[in-house]
Amino acid sequence: MTTTPLNEGSAWADWPARLRLISGLILMFYAFTHLLNHAMGIVGLDVMENGRDIFLAFWRSLVLMWLVPLSILVHVFFVCYKFTGKKTFKGMRNSEWIQLAFGVAIPLFLLPHVYVTRIAILTYQVEDSYTFFLATWYPHEIITMLGLILVIWTHGVIGLYLFLAQKPWFGRSRRLFDILSVVIPLLAIWGVVSAGREVNLLKQDPTWMDDLSSASNPLGIDWTTQVLTFSSQVVKYFLISLIVLVLLRSILNWYRKRNRILVSYLQGSKVSIPRGTTLLEASLIANIPHAHVCGGRGRCSTCRVEVIDGLETLPTPSADESNLLKRVRVGRNVRLACQTRPTDQCTIYPLLLPNSSGYDSSQPQDRQGADKEIAILFSDLRGFTSMSEGRLPYDVVFILNQYFQFMGHAIESHGGKVDKFIGDGIMALFGLENGAAEGCRDALKAAREMSFQLDRLNIHLQNEIEKPLRIGIGIHTGQVIVGEMGYKKSTNLTAIGDATNTASRLESACKELDSELVISDEVMQRAQVRFTEFERHTIQLRGKSESMDVHSFKLAKQLPADLEQMIERKI
Ligand code: FES
């Protein structure tokens, strides 16, 4: 097997995607301010018009007046570039199909709107105020405007979500993102409807209407006819452009097919692909199951493949690809299938098992796999093996089940999720929904409760066991990969990563520190509490090169009950 160094290419190696993203973000911000202005109609027509003056002063400043049209051109160009370059649409998630469909529909709604609000002003000196348009618009024009809000906002929100979803911190902001995604367009629609009703009342006065028309439309242009004529032209040219785009894509694919490359899989399959196809697209074209959680955006690493043969012929990975591969600490012969376009034949082996059903877009993102900072708790029964010797199997199972019941209750009552029972050990996750800080506090409270529950359990079992049960608990926090892992019915939401191993080793350290609970210093910092009266140690954990600051508690129930108050005072 040959290996070559994983050189870094330019951070802008995938510059079309970056330009598409930047232009999309600018347009999303523009749409957001627009909707904000619409929403002001809830307060009143005057407020809406005053808001418009402020927004226009910003957006029609010399630089920004060109930025929006330029961003539209760049975005549309690179979306077309992506569309014509895409070798297969297989494996696209439902959300991506919706984004594509809404994106395609945008010109149909946007161009008549641009015509009315920009071209009309320049050509016919029409004033594009809310008042004038709400007074002269016909129902179908209102519907077009509401449709515009829907398609632009949905398209943008999906794009933004797919961009943010792989950011480690996004889990904490996800709920806010979901709420704003729905609330902002609803407020905008409410604002337009509310201002429209106000205008309708004013329209009862014929003098008001005459004054408005002569002031806002000095040349007396018939808007309905103008817009309908323009819209029909838009539909015509839109359909022609779409046909040209599809033809262009077919011609490019036909051209590429003349220059094919053979990709072999270690499992025995072979796929002949056109030059320019990624390794992930090769798998999708040939229906070879291949994990691709982020949809081929180079953000999740689940598509990674070991290159068995032909590594030296592959193009150099981009800086982004190199960074992601470094983060997951893989060998130098591993590449991201979604980012690698072979130029010569090669043999690969997909490293992660795909879900049997492929990507399931109905699952929340963290079930598919996401980077998260959470708190992890490990606990273990002390001396249970020797205690179970000589007991009837039924007896052992009975005691263990009692123990799991008491501890499971303590964990779940403090927002934790029991990840798994491992022999007489328990692994639990905290902060999956509410982030690491809250997770650390919950884990501490759960540890305290586990200690009390153990006392209750020992009283409950006093006639069954010779010595009271004892436990060791370790808690650590850090970045882990959270996702559904396993096989068929044995699949569950779990966490993997260095922080998980550290938590497990802290639990083992309970023995040598003669303590019931050992927590890392990071847990204390994340929870924003200080337990100065408890012992602090610097220890060397097994398998770790660096020492670690930890805090030990003889009994976890010694943790203060007023944790919440301590947090507020930051003791
Ligand atoms: S599919 Fe996510 S990095 Fe390739």
Side-chain angles (χ1 to χ4, degrees):
M1 190 190 311
T2 331
T3 58
T4 54
L6 200 62
N7 296 323
E8 289 188 8
S10 156
W12 277 76
D14 194 10
W15 57 271
R18 295 215 174 220
L19 288 177
R20 207 173 59 234
L21 175 69
I22 293 169
S23 55
L25 288 174
I26 293 170
L27 294 174
M28 196 59 186
F29 181 62
Y30 179 71
F32 169 69
T33 55
H34 226 63
L35 297 195
L36 222 54
N37 196 175
H38 289 0
M40 287 176 171
I42 299 170
V43 188
L45 189 59
D46 286 355
V47 178
M48 200 183 194
E49 292 292 9
N50 290 338
R52 175 178 160 271
D53 291 341
I54 297 167
F55 284 120
L56 287 188
F58 176 60
W59 284 111
R60 289 189 186 165
S61 61
L62 198 59
V63 175
L64 293 173
M65 200 169 71
W66 291 101
L67 189 65
V68 175
L70 186 68
S71 299
I72 293 176
L73 286 178
V74 169
H75 200 70
V76 169
F77 179 80
F78 284 109
V79 167
C80 294
Y81 176 83
K82 184 183 174 191
F83 173 77
T84 47
K86 212 167 169 59
K87 310 301 176 305
T88 177
F89 287 97
K90 282 185 189 172
M92 263 175 62
R93 289 167 274 175
N94 292 341
S95 56
E96 288 173 299
W97 278 113
I98 295 170
Q99 188 196 22
L100 180 66
F102 279 41
V104 167
I106 287 174
L108 283 175
F109 292 93
L110 183 64
L111 289 175
H113 182 71
V114 172
Y115 176 78
V116 169
T117 54
R118 298 295 295 132
I119 299 173
I121 310 167
L122 300 172
T123 318
Y124 305 113
Q125 296 105 47
V126 171
E127 191 200 354
D128 61 335
S129 67
Y130 280 107
T131 311
F132 176 63
F133 284 115
L134 287 172
T136 54
W137 270 4
Y138 284 83
H140 71 270
E141 288 168 302
I142 303 268
I143 289 167
T144 306
M145 197 211 61
L146 297 181
L148 179 62
I149 293 176
L150 184 74
V151 292
I152 287 194
W153 191 251
T154 309
H155 174 82
V157 161
I158 294 175
L160 200 55
Y161 173 78
L162 293 174
F163 167 63
L164 294 174
Q166 298 302 323
K167 304 279 174 200
W169 47 264
F170 183 62
R172 275 170 267 146
S173 323
R174 169 76 197 273
R175 204 165 288 169
L176 180 67
F177 180 88
D178 290 347
I179 292 170
L180 291 179
S181 306
V182 177
V183 167
I184 290 171
L186 286 180
L187 288 179
I189 292 170
W190 183 9
V192 172
V193 172
S194 178
R197 290 168 73 176
E198 211 174 312
V199 168
N200 270 346
L201 287 177
L202 293 167
K203 271 170 74 176
Q204 312 293 324
D205 178 359
T207 331
W208 180 86
M209 196 59 209
D210 288 345
D211 290 348
L212 179 72
S213 296
S214 53
S216 304
N217 183 11
L219 302 182
I221 301 297
D222 174 5
W223 278 112
T224 309
T225 315
Q226 292 277 348
V227 174
L228 280 178
T229 312
F230 184 80
S231 299
S232 64
Q233 294 293 322
V234 165
V235 173
K236 191 169 88 186
Y237 288 110
F238 171 78
L239 289 176
I240 292 173
S241 311
L242 216 54
I243 291 168
V244 169
L245 202 61
V246 172
L247 278 177
L248 192 65
R249 183 179 135 78
S250 308
I251 293 167
L252 278 173
N253 279 351
W254 170 80
Y255 178 76
R256 287 183 195 119
K257 273 180 192 156
R258 294 172 13 162
N259 200 352
R260 300 186 79 87
I261 294 162
L262 191 70
V263 175
S264 308
Y265 291 73
L266 198 58
Q267 301 91 322
S269 315
K270 289 188 188 309
V271 189
S272 169
I273 52 165
R275 187 176 283 270
T277 308
T278 66
L279 291 171
L280 177 63
E281 286 172 330
S283 301
L284 297 174
I285 288 168
N287 290 325
I288 295 172
H290 199 141
H292 56 293
V293 165
C294 72
R297 287 177 164 74
R299 293 182 195 137
C300 67
S301 88
T302 54
C303 65
R304 58 187 185 256
V305 292
E306 183 177 335
V307 184
I308 308 295
D309 212 2
L311 182 67
E312 64 286 349
T313 66
L314 295 178
T316 310
S318 68
D320 285 344
E321 185 185 347
S322 292
N323 288 338
L324 187 55
L325 290 171
K326 272 184 204 156
R327 251 181 89 194
V328 288
R329 298 192 198 97
V330 289
R332 293 190 173 274
N333 56 332
V334 171
R335 294 291 302 267
L336 294 184
C338 67
Q339 303 299 306
T340 310
R341 298 174 196 275
T343 51
D344 208 338
Q345 61 181 27
C346 59
T347 305
I348 59 167
Y349 175 64
L351 287 170
L352 298 195
L353 284 174
N355 287 347
S356 53
S357 55
Y359 189 97
D360 181 357
S361 59
S362 64
Q363 291 273 19
Q365 188 72 32
D366 58 2
R367 298 211 161 238
Q368 310 275 351
D371 258 346
K372 276 196 169 195
E373 194 185 350
I374 58 168
I376 308 113
L377 179 151
F378 269 88
S379 83
D380 195 37
L381 268 179
R382 294 276 166 262
F384 187 74
T385 314
S386 55
M387 194 188 89
S388 55
E389 277 165 11
R391 283 183 176 274
L392 289 173
Y394 167 83
D395 209 20
V396 174
V397 171
F398 171 77
I399 294 171
L400 269 184
N401 278 337
Q402 294 283 302
Y403 162 71
F404 289 144
Q405 192 181 330
F406 277 70
M407 297 302 130
H409 174 75
I411 290 166
E412 288 179 355
S413 61
H414 290 287
K417 181 191 176 301
V418 176
D419 179 300
K420 54 177 82 73
F421 297 112
I422 318 150
D424 56 10
I426 301 171
M427 173 178 165
L429 312 177
F430 293 82
L432 287 168
E433 301 294 332
N434 44 7
E438 204 60 46
C440 286
R441 288 169 208 148
D442 287 344
L444 290 171
K445 289 180 211 162
R448 184 171 181 274
E449 177 68 19
M450 285 167 82
S451 190
F452 282 114
Q453 288 287 2
L454 190 70
D455 287 349
R456 284 181 205 120
L457 179 64
N458 279 326
I459 295 169
H460 185 65
L461 295 175
Q462 59 188 335
N463 297 327
E464 318 285 334
I465 51 179
E466 298 78 38
K467 283 195 294 185
L469 296 173
R470 289 190 307 120
I471 52 170
I473 305 170
I475 307 175
H476 183 53
T477 180
Q479 206 75 32
V480 289
I481 297 168
V482 178
E484 291 272 13
M485 297 177 214
Y487 179 63
K488 292 192 175 171
K489 286 186 179 163
S490 306
T491 303
N492 71 319
L493 189 74
T494 187
I496 52 169
D498 197 44
T500 312
N501 301 334
T502 304
S504 162
R505 284 172 192 160
L506 288 179
E507 177 269 306
S508 306
C510 288
K511 207 170 182 179
E512 64 202 63
L513 296 175
D514 190 24
S515 301
E516 191 175 67
L517 171 68
V518 174
I519 66 171
S520 64
D521 197 45
E522 284 91 333
V523 170
M524 206 124 100
Q525 287 176 18
R526 273 325 233 139
Q528 296 179 311
V529 289
R530 284 272 155 247
F531 305 128
T532 42
E533 66 272 34
F534 296 101
E535 286 183 51
R536 183 189 172 109
H537 316 264
T538 300
I539 59 169
Q540 188 81 39
L541 289 182
R542 188 164 41 87
K544 295 268 173 197
S545 53
E546 288 172 10
S547 51
M548 189 173 190
D549 289 338
V550 301
H551 305 265
S552 66
F553 304 79
K554 275 269 175 276
L555 293 169
K557 61 184 165 220
Q558 290 171 340
L559 278 168
D562 60 344
L563 200 59
E564 291 299 342
Q565 288 164 28
M566 292 187 69
I567 294 157
E568 281 164 19
R569 297 202 305 273
K570 299 209 170 91
I571 290 172

